[in-house]
């Protein structure tokens, strides 16, 4: 959808500020009542979902230009989708979609993305990863005791962060798959970034190129199923790719496949993991992970000035994310106690790293992770668990910055411990 | 643009991160719901962008606000403060003006459980305050605008009807004391605070200025800036060990209803029976909520999506619904609950009513109990359309509210027939009783199309006709009057009160820099 197609929607914002908070009914305390790390940090209304939508409309109408300060507004947002969940409690607006479209428009106009983003996009194009690491070293995490099957139609898509920064997740995932007897192959040094960091900052053209070439590569390799241990990759492959490139490859996240292994008795959690943990829902595995079902139809007036969509528009309110699988897995780990934070599921508070913020606004990203860590600490848990290497990196940085006693683990690491695979 | 040195002086007060003059950032402040009506009346294309501020500042303390206000006086810059800024009255009217966004002043300074008051800063929201008060077995009055809006804004600057009004009254009634930066920058603390550091009363030992500070309607930010407010609290009818607990996933949340709570939708065939029942229910202090809307409104109250609401209409809800009162009996103890529910039953029978919940016409789920006390039901009205506005209505007796509703119906129907406003058969009202007494509030929310000139102007004409009817039929005092013209309109037959407000405004704001926008302008500006 272009900004033009969104104009009516953008103009019907009520400027009510609901998008700054988690849905009002679930607020339990003042301290943890907000949903938007961006407005919490930058404070001007323009830094909220609704505020950004207003600026997007102002830009579309030719009222404003994309000044350097506007670029901060536009990119100082983790694209976490929290605003949209809260708005949709009552309205039919999509602030997060509007933010994305304004980013696309900014790139098309030659002003976006930001310098830091441009640099990593170049690296993705050159080295297949935004970190600028050697593509040949992509599978360097692979240890001798891991078995892969290059003829398998199941691909473990490792992703850039697990390949180069959080190798322990890649190792844990592969070992769990081995332990369950699940054949899989890797793309090795041929694996290309999923395109998330490119897509999220509005360089849609380059991102679509990446999506197309990845899908082509998967098809050539006969891939029917992709396993991913990264929420960002999951989101791209499962939700964003089908918006631009047709594919019928099944996409599953590690938390889902592990839940299945446990149900089918393919792995046994025998070792105690005596930890009190709290679980952070990554935005891209949670509220943003609902499939995007294209809709075609018309708006019809059913009562005077009251319109409905015919056929009904598929709702994307955040309810259909992957919330239960990781919790079901954690609850089955012996010795482990799971306690919940106040902001969970579709109203989870973002870790602060997404949408290009970790690179362009590192102070903001770190601040947001501290906010979330404070909430995690308030549960009395000793350990924060999540299911995304990128969230993990930001949380680890946050833990260090605040000298927290809290530990961080990916869900795969705890499962590996419990099946005795870390020995 | 502000002059460079003036901008720099503001920057010095709040720091670089807390000031902006970027046009895009400014536009996010200029944009307001319902501005399109005013722009259509000016003969422009209907649009929500109003006056763009020259700068926005985000102060953190009383001292910073005071310094900003003084600087505005020095440099002839208008200012307007707001808390969450929902509604056109939070915006500017003067092109040489700045917006004071109080978002960073967001602390609950004190909760005095024994003396039942709280002291809050501007950007504490209703939901946030409520959460903290429940732990003390207390609640406050939250205005119907929603849980995400500011109780300080409402208590200091607006009338403030809400869903718990039968129990908690309205905001204007509940403000105790305030810290007030007067339009010229002087600080005034009303009430006992300055005397003993406690804030249990809004008047004395000094002179009482509450009437001047807000009067009946509030000054909508046209009379300086409020930086703290002490507000009255009420007992929260739930056991202390009860906790606010929501589970499940959007849109079907579940909510733990406290033990002695029950909702009713009492329905009466005729307005007269409705009126008698409303008086008696209020007089007997049985209900925390007593709200009336159109039958269409009932469809939206206890459903979670537009689709569901529309389906309930097509399932025949309208035919079974006449003049109804949504009620919540919320008792502290079992005996109190039994007494109240029996009383409700007997009042219902006495006036020939029926309970639409009992009959399955509408079925509030547990989450709707939570939404009711969190003041979220008003938001449900937006499920049908993102655009409605309300007439100025009346805040008077229950009988007057009923009369207003009856007289309003044919007027509204005329505009419905013209096709310029949404069709609620002229029945779209919001009535709530106040303070378990004779008082009630009535307004008529009306759906219109914000993109159509005809619809915006049609709505404005409908509102004008309602205003005229207020005067011609002596329908009591509107709860909401915006701007000089409308004040003048009413003032003609109400002892020219607006002249007095203007005198106050001129005396308190000699330089005319506290942007009146929807309030009254004082004397002429000096420069
Ligand atoms: C959809 C909608 C529904 C509404 N429903 C209701 C309702 O049911 N009941 C009701 O009472 N009102 C209602 N209102 C009106 C009103 O806007 C709110 O009650 C208002 O108080 C909301 O809080 P806020 O934080 O957004 O206020 P703001 O918009 O921040 O402020 C409201 C007014 O007070 C002034 N003000 C705020 N804070 C200060 C301060 N610290 N110092 C000086 N001036 C200040 C502002 O300039 C503005 O004019 C509604 C408004 C809308 C848009
Ligand atoms: S985007 Fe939605 S929630 Fe945010 S201000 Fe606009 S209408 Fe309200
Ligand atoms: S996407 Fe997230 S960070 Fe961006 S405006 Fe919405 S809630 Fe805020």
């Amino acid at each position: 959808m272009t900004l033009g197609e969104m104009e009516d929607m953008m103009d019907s914002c009520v400027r009510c500020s609901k998008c700054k908070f988690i849905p009002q009914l679930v607020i339990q305390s003042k301290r943890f009542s907000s949903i938007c790390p961006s407005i919490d940090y930058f404070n001007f209304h323009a830094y909220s979902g609704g505020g950004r939508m207003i600026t997007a409309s102002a830009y579309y109408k030719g009222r404003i230009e994309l000044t350097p300060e506007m670029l901060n507004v536009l990119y100082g947002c983790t694209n976490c989708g929290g605003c949209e969940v809260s708005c949709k409690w009552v309205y039919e607006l999509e602030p997060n979609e509007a933010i994305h479209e304004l980013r696309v428009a900014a790139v098309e106009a030659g002003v976006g993305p930001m310098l830091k983003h441009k640099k990593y996009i170049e690296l993705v194009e050159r080295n297949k990863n935004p970190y600028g690491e050697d593509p040949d070293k992509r599978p360097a995490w692979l240890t001798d005791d891991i078995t892969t099957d290059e003829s398998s139609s199941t691909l473990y898509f490792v992703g850039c962060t697990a390949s180069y920064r959080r190798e322990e997740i890649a190792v844990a995932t592969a070992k769990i798959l081995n332990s369950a007897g699940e054949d899989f192959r890797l793309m090795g040094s041929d694996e290309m970034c999923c395109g998330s960091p490119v897509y999220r900052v509005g360089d849609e053209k380059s991102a679509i190129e990446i999506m197309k070439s990845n899908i082509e590569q998967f098809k050539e390799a006969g891939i029917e199923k992709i396993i991913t241990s990264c929420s960002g990759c999951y989101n791209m492959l499962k939700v964003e790719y089908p918006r631009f490139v047709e594919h019928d490859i099944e996409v599953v996240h590690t938390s889902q496949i592990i839940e299945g292994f446990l149900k089918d008795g393919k792995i046994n959690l025998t070792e105690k993991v005596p930890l009190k943990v709290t679980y952070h829902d990554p935005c891209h595995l949670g509220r943003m992970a609902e499939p995007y079902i294209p809709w075609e139809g018309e708006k019809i007036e059913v009562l005077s000035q009251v319109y409905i969509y015919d056929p009904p528009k598929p709702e994307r309110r955040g309810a259909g994310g992957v919330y239960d699988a990781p919790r079901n897995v954690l609850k089955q780990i012996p010795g482990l106690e799971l306690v919940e934070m106040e902001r969970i599921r579709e109203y989870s508070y973002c870790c602060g790293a997404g949408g290009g913020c970790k690179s362009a606004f590192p102070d903001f990203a770190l601040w947001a992770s501290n906010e979330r860590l404070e909430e995690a600490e308030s549960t009395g848990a000793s350990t924060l668990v999540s299911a995304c290497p990128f969230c993990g990196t930001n949380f680890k940085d946050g833990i260090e910055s605040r000298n927290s006693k809290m530990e961080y683990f990916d869900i795969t690491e705890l499962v590996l411990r419990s099946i005795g695979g870390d020995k | 643009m502000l002059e460079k040195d003036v901008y720099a002086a503001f920057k010095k007060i709040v720091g670089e991160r807390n000031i902006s003059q970027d046009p895009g950032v400014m536009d996010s402040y200029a944009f307001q719901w319902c501005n399109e009506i005013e722009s259509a009346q000016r003969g422009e294309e209907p649009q929500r962008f109003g006056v763009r501020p020259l700068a926005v500042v985000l102060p953190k303390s009383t001292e910073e606000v005071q310094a900003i206000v003084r600087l505005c006086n020095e440099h002839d810059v208008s200012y307007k403060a707001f808390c969450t800024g929902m509604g056109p009255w939070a915006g500017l009217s003067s092109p040489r003006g700045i917006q004071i966004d109080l978002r960073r002043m967001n602390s609950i300074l004190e909760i005095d459980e024994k003396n039942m008051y709280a002291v809050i800063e501007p950007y504490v929201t209703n939901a946030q305050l409520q959460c903290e008060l429940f732990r003390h077995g207390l609640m406050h009055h939250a205005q119907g605008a929603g849980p995400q809006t500011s109780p300080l804004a409402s208590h200091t600057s607006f009338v403030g009807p809400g869903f718990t009004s039968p129990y908690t009254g309205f905001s204007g009634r509940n403000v105790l004391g305030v810290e007030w930066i007067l339009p010229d920058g002087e600080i005034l603390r009303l009430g006992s605070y300055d005397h003993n550091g406690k804030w249990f009363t809004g008047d004395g030992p000094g002179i009482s200025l509450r009437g001047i500070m807000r009067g009946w309607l509030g000054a909508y930010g046209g009379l300086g800036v409020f930086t703290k407010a002490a507000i009255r609290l009420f007992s929260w009818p739930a056991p202390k060990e009860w906790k606010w607990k929501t589970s499940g996933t959007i849109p079907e949340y579940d909510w733990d209803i406290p033990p002695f709570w029950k909702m009713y939708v009492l329905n009466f065939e005729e307005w007269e029976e409705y009126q008698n029942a409303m008086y008696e229910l209020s007089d007997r202090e049985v209900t925390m909520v007593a709200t009336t809307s159109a039958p269409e409104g009932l469809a939206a109250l206890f459903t979670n999506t537009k689709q569901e609401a529309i389906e309930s209409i097509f399932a025949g809800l309208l035919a079974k619904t006449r003049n109804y009162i949504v009620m919540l009996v919320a008792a502290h103890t079992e005996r109190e609950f039994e007494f109240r529910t029996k009383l409700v039953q007997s009042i219902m029978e006495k006036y020939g009513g029926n309970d639409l919940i009992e009959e399955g016409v509408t079925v509030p789920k547990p989450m709707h109990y939570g939404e009711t006390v969190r003041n979220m039901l008003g938001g449900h009205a937006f499920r049908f359309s993102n655009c409605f506005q309300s007439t100025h209505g009346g805040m008077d007796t229950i009988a007057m509210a009923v009369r207003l509703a009856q007289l309003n119906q044919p007027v509204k129907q005329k505009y419905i027939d013209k096709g310029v406003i949404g069709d609620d058969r002229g029945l779209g009202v919001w009535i709530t009783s106040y303070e378990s007494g004779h008082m009630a509030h009535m307004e008529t929310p009306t759906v219109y199309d914000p993109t159509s000139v005809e619809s915006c102007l049609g709505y404005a004409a409908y509102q004008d006709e309602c205003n005229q009817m207020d005067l011609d039929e002596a329908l009591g005092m509107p709860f909401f009057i915006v701007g000089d013209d409308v004040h003048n309109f009413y003032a003609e037959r109400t002892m020219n009160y607006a002249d007095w407000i203007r005198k106050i405004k001129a005396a308190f704001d000699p330089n005319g820099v506290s942007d009146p926008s929807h309030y009254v302008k004082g004397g002429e500006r000096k420069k």
Side-chain angles (χ1 to χ4, degrees), chain B residues 33-74:
Chain B
W33 175 74
C34 290
N35 267 343
E36 60 274 4
I37 298 176
E38 290 176 26
S39 62
Q41 284 177 309
R42 287 193 302 270
E44 298 162 9
E45 271 295 296
Q47 61 155 326
R48 289 196 167 173
F49 289 99
V51 175
R52 187 190 270 173
L54 295 185
V56 175
V57 285
L58 290 157
K60 180 71 188 154
S61 65
T62 302
E63 292 70 31
E64 286 186 11
V65 176
Q66 184 180 34
I68 292 162
V69 168
R70 284 195 167 142
L71 207 61
C72 286
N73 275 275
E74 241 171 73

Side-chain angles (χ1 to χ4, degrees), chain A residues 19-20 35-39 46-50 52 76-84 95-96 99 103 283 287-288 350 357 364:
Chain A
C19 50
K20 294 170 185 167
I35 188 81
C36 173
S38 181
I39 187 76
Y47 286 86
S48 64
R52 285 191 174 86
C77 155
T78 60
N79 224 221
C80 71
C83 46
E84 206 162 296
N96 197 31
I99 294 166
R103 289 182 177 192
C283 310
R287 57 183 164 242
M288 300 273 285
C350 174
C357 286
F364 161 52

Side-chain angles (χ1 to χ4, degrees), chain A residues 14 16 91, chain B residues 32-33 80-91 99 102 122-123 126 141 143-146 148-163 171 219-227 375 382 388 430 441 443 479-480 517-518:
Chain A
V14 187
C16 68
Y91 315 105
Chain B
Q32 283 291 0
W33 175 74
K80 182 127 194 168
F82 71 74
C83 293
T84 77
M86 183 194 186
W89 29 89
Q99 197 99 59
L102 296 165
Y123 202 83
N126 283 309
H141 172 75
Q143 76 273 28
Q148 83 290 358
T149 59
S150 154
L152 180 139
S154 188
H155 281 69
T156 59
S157 309
F158 240 84
V159 171
F163 287 92
S171 303
Y220 310 147
L223 216 53
V225 187
F226 302 99
T227 43
N375 224 36
F382 282 103
F388 71 83
W430 180 35
H441 165 101
E443 60 182 280
F479 82 104
F480 184 53
S517 83
H518 292 70

Side-chain angles (χ1 to χ4, degrees), chain A residues 205-237:
Chain A
K205 230 163 126 192
S206 309
I208 292 171
E209 286 306 308
I210 295 173
M211 294 183 205
K212 279 186 181 158
S213 102
N214 273 344
I215 291 294
E216 212 166 292
Q217 190 191 29
F218 300 151
K219 282 185 179 160
E220 269 171 25
I223 301 301
E224 290 168 9
K225 176 171 162 183
I226 296 177
I227 299 163
T228 153
S229 53
C230 171
S231 299
C233 299
Y234 176 82
N235 191 272
M236 285 299 285
L237 296 163

Side-chain angles (χ1 to χ4, degrees), chain A residues 243-255:
Chain A
R243 289 168 81 160
F244 303 98
V245 194
E246 254 183 59
H247 79 79
D248 55 4
I249 303 170
E250 187 193 354
V251 181
V252 285
H253 184 260
T254 37
S255 60

